[in-house]
Amino acid sequence: MLSLPFALTAILLREAAPTSVAQDVYYKLGTSDDIRERSRIPAYDFMSFYNGNQSGQISGMLPGPPAFGTGDYYWWEGGAMMGAYIDYWHLTGDPSYNSVVTQGLLFQAGDNNDYQPRNQTIGLGNDDQGF
């Protein structure tokens, strides 16, 4: 299983490393605009892990949990992903993923707005809610 932080790191390294196995990629990162523009590539790639915005899928979750045989990710990792996109928006000003993140966070907030959705209470911990 590839954890979400490692997956993001792998995407970022693949895109930024000048000696990438797949291809040589060189980025000019001299200005804030350069950094914002180059951040769009891994942000787009990172979203490919998420299918909660597709018909029949669960908003705010990555495929999983592993115990159910439905994917490699746990509930909290979906929260970590949503948090990463909030940071992305804050740091770049790019609102491209805001509607997906808002939908996912609101769906997973639970009946009491405490991030204890009924579909996750059996394995949910306080640290999970923090994500």
Side-chain angles (χ1 to χ4, degrees), residues 50-101:
Y50 181 70
N51 61 13
N53 57 339
Q54 297 172 9
S55 181
Q57 302 300 316
I58 301 173
S59 293
M61 288 185 62
L62 290 164
F68 293 168
T70 54
D72 294 331
Y73 301 100
Y74 293 95
W75 181 78
W76 70 269
E77 291 175 297
M81 180 182 206
M82 297 297 130
Y85 278 99
I86 291 170
D87 291 343
Y88 170 78
W89 168 55
H90 173 74
L91 294 169
T92 66
D94 180 1
S96 299
Y97 304 101
N98 288 5
S99 61
V100 171
V101 170

Side-chain angles (χ1 to χ4, degrees), residues 16-114:
T19 58
S20 171
V21 174
Q23 63 182 2
D24 288 342
V25 179
Y26 297 97
Y27 290 129
K28 179 182 173 190
L29 299 176
T31 68
S32 295
D33 288 339
D34 291 336
I35 294 168
R36 277 191 286 277
E37 182 61 31
R38 299 307 178 241
S39 297
R40 289 189 175 130
I41 297 167
Y44 179 85
D45 288 348
F46 191 36
M47 189 54 73
S48 70
F49 286 88
Y50 181 70
N51 61 13
N53 57 339
Q54 297 172 9
S55 181
Q57 302 300 316
I58 301 173
S59 293
M61 288 185 62
L62 290 164
F68 293 168
T70 54
D72 294 331
Y73 301 100
Y74 293 95
W75 181 78
W76 70 269
E77 291 175 297
M81 180 182 206
M82 297 297 130
Y85 278 99
I86 291 170
D87 291 343
Y88 170 78
W89 168 55
H90 173 74
L91 294 169
T92 66
D94 180 1
S96 299
Y97 304 101
N98 288 5
S99 61
V100 171
V101 170
T102 299
Q103 178 187 20
L105 289 173
L106 291 174
F107 188 84
Q108 292 298 324
D111 295 335
N112 299 315
N113 294 320
D114 55 7

